[in-house]
Amino acid sequence: MRKSFLLLIVFVSALTSNAQSKIGVKIGYIDMDYILENVPDYKEASMQLEQKAQKWKQDIEVKKNDITKMKDVLKSERALLTKELIDEREGEIKFLENELLDYQQKRFGPNGDLSIQKTSITKPVQDQVFTAVQDIAEAKGYDFIFDKSSDMTMLFSAKKFDISDQVVRTITRAEKREEMSKKQLKAQEERENKENKVDDNPALAERQRILDEKKAARDKSIEEKRQLAEQKRKDYEARRKKLVEEQKAKKSGTVTDSTSTNNKTAADNFNKVEDKKTALDSIKASKEQARLKVIENNKKMLEDRKKALEERKKKIAADKEAAKKAKEEKNKN
């Protein structure tokens, strides 16, 4: 604890010193535990290792139970055995206990199989994280990035400075790129640029989160309506099938003419009502799809306008900078 506190003091001192000589120090942090849990390759390897560890634990329990049974048998038969037999059995039990301790150390000791294999699957991911952090720091101008799960104690950490998700995306993107075509790579890069803009702008990130929630709610509502329409269709088919069967029964003479007439009239009325309901549901679904399409088009148009505005701002800034340089060159001459 004292060591962590001293490290924290050194870090704060360095940060303060740097802040005096540089305006706008940019800080970020990662959570290595969170990253490891969200990297697919590590998760799969970790699950396989956990299955091995469970098998080793079961083996240990079996050995323990065998030793316990041998002790119980010796205890119950001790009065009937000679000293030589008792010594022999106790020696065998002692041997098995030592063998069990050796097995536990081999599997779960500080230098055991579990520790070695865990390091072997963790280190490659840690190397990837280190590379990804360097790339993100250079691309986005971070001055400090440190690990929340390390020995350095963090008394407070604002979520907006957490770049763990960016690191996870960087690692998974690198894995996916190896399997992508040129067209897919271009589309992936466009998505990455959009995600990076969201990461750099907390307000935009919050707005994107709200839009995603609204879209999810909209999709859920559409799915519920679709399921309801499907259930109505099934009920309609079941009732129509029943009426058809009754009409067939009438033709075979198993029902009276009056009953058959009533059933036919009911069937005709039912079909008309159900056809009208189906048509209305179809119209509602079409209107809903059209409304959603208009919303998506408006959203795309807004994004295009924002993009054009950003490009225009960049061009104006570049023109101003060029004019400024030209003026400075002119004044020097």
Side-chain angles (χ1 to χ4, degrees), residues 13-129:
S13 299
L15 180 61
T16 305
S17 175
N18 189 281
Q20 292 175 349
S21 59
K22 182 177 179 180
I23 299 175
V25 176
K26 193 171 183 180
I27 303 171
Y29 70 90
I30 63 169
D31 187 340
M32 182 63 76
D33 295 337
Y34 172 83
I35 293 172
L36 291 176
E37 290 174 0
N38 288 274
V39 173
D41 288 346
Y42 177 83
K43 284 179 66 176
E44 184 178 353
S46 183
M47 287 176 60
Q48 292 176 357
L49 181 57
E50 180 61 26
Q51 290 174 357
K52 285 184 180 180
Q54 291 299 326
K55 177 65 170 60
W56 296 336
K57 289 178 181 178
Q58 290 174 4
D59 293 341
I60 290 172
E61 285 301 316
V62 170
K63 293 177 185 292
K64 284 183 177 179
N65 291 335
D66 290 342
I67 293 172
T68 301
K69 288 178 182 178
M70 290 179 68
K71 287 182 176 180
D72 292 341
V73 171
L74 177 59
K75 184 178 180 180
S76 63
E77 297 179 353
R78 181 179 289 272
L80 304 175
L81 299 175
T82 63
K83 185 178 184 304
E84 288 78 10
L85 288 175
I86 292 174
D87 292 340
E88 182 180 341
R89 292 195 184 182
E90 286 180 342
E92 185 180 355
I93 291 172
K94 185 66 175 176
F95 174 80
L96 291 176
E97 286 178 336
N98 291 334
E99 190 179 56
L100 176 59
L101 289 174
D102 291 340
Y103 184 80
Q104 287 177 315
Q105 286 296 312
K106 178 185 176 184
R107 297 303 192 189
F108 298 102
N111 298 316
D113 293 338
L114 181 63
S115 178
I116 292 171
Q117 293 186 31
K118 190 170 185 179
T119 301
S120 69
I121 66 173
T122 303
K123 191 177 184 306
V125 180
Q126 289 176 331
D127 292 341
Q128 288 180 303
V129 171

Side-chain angles (χ1 to χ4, degrees), residues 174-198:
E175 295 173 353
K176 290 179 181 178
R177 279 195 183 96
E178 298 176 359
E179 304 173 359
M180 287 184 176
S181 64
K182 290 184 177 179
K183 186 176 180 180
Q184 290 173 325
L185 279 173
K186 186 176 180 181
Q188 177 69 12
E189 288 175 358
E190 291 177 356
R191 286 195 297 271
E192 290 175 7
N193 291 333
K194 185 176 180 181
E195 289 173 351
N196 290 338
K197 287 181 180 178
V198 171

Side-chain angles (χ1 to χ4, degrees), residues 268-282:
D268 293 339
N269 293 335
F270 172 76
N271 288 336
K272 290 179 181 179
V273 172
E274 289 299 324
D275 289 342
K276 186 176 180 180
K277 286 183 178 179
T278 303
L280 288 174
D281 290 339
S282 178

Side-chain angles (χ1 to χ4, degrees), residues 140-307:
K140 299 190 176 183
Y142 281 95
D143 296 288
F144 297 95
I145 296 179
F146 51 96
D147 185 6
K148 182 180 179 181
S149 61
S150 67
D151 292 335
M152 184 176 289
T153 304
M154 290 182 65
L155 301 178
F156 173 77
S157 57
K159 182 63 180 174
K160 64 181 180 180
F161 298 119
D162 188 356
I163 64 169
S164 300
D165 287 324
Q166 296 180 49
V167 174
V168 172
R169 285 201 299 269
T170 300
I171 294 173
T172 52
R173 286 169 185 167
E175 295 173 353
K176 290 179 181 178
R177 279 195 183 96
E178 298 176 359
E179 304 173 359
M180 287 184 176
S181 64
K182 290 184 177 179
K183 186 176 180 180
Q184 290 173 325
L185 279 173
K186 186 176 180 181
Q188 177 69 12
E189 288 175 358
E190 291 177 356
R191 286 195 297 271
E192 290 175 7
N193 291 333
K194 185 176 180 181
E195 289 173 351
N196 290 338
K197 287 181 180 178
V198 171
D199 290 333
D200 292 336
N201 189 336
L204 184 61
E206 179 63 19
R207 189 158 59 248
Q208 184 65 40
R209 184 187 65 79
I210 294 173
L211 288 174
D212 291 341
E213 289 180 354
K214 287 183 178 179
K215 185 177 183 301
R218 209 162 46 235
D219 292 342
K220 182 180 179 182
S221 176
I222 292 172
E223 178 62 19
E224 289 175 350
K225 289 179 180 178
R226 187 194 67 77
Q227 292 179 356
L228 182 60
E230 180 67 16
Q231 185 60 43
K232 286 182 178 179
R233 187 189 65 79
K234 289 180 179 179
D235 294 342
Y236 163 74
E237 291 293 337
R239 288 195 292 271
R240 187 169 65 176
K241 183 178 179 181
K242 182 179 179 181
L243 291 172
V244 169
E245 289 174 352
E246 290 177 352
Q247 288 176 357
K248 287 181 179 179
K250 177 259 177 184
K251 289 180 180 179
S252 64
T254 56
V255 295
T256 63
D257 290 340
S258 60
T259 303
S260 174
T261 302
N262 291 336
N263 286 342
K264 186 175 184 304
T265 303
D268 293 339
N269 293 335
F270 172 76
N271 288 336
K272 290 179 181 179
V273 172
E274 289 299 324
D275 289 342
K276 186 176 180 180
K277 286 183 178 179
T278 303
L280 288 174
D281 290 339
S282 178
I283 292 171
K284 287 181 181 179
S286 299
K287 287 183 178 180
E288 180 65 16
Q289 290 179 355
R291 187 179 72 83
L292 293 175
K293 187 174 182 181
V294 170
I295 292 173
E296 290 296 327
N297 290 337
N298 290 339
K299 182 180 177 182
K300 185 176 182 302
M301 188 183 300
L302 181 61
E303 290 177 351
D304 291 341
R305 287 179 181 175
K306 287 182 179 178
K307 186 176 180 181

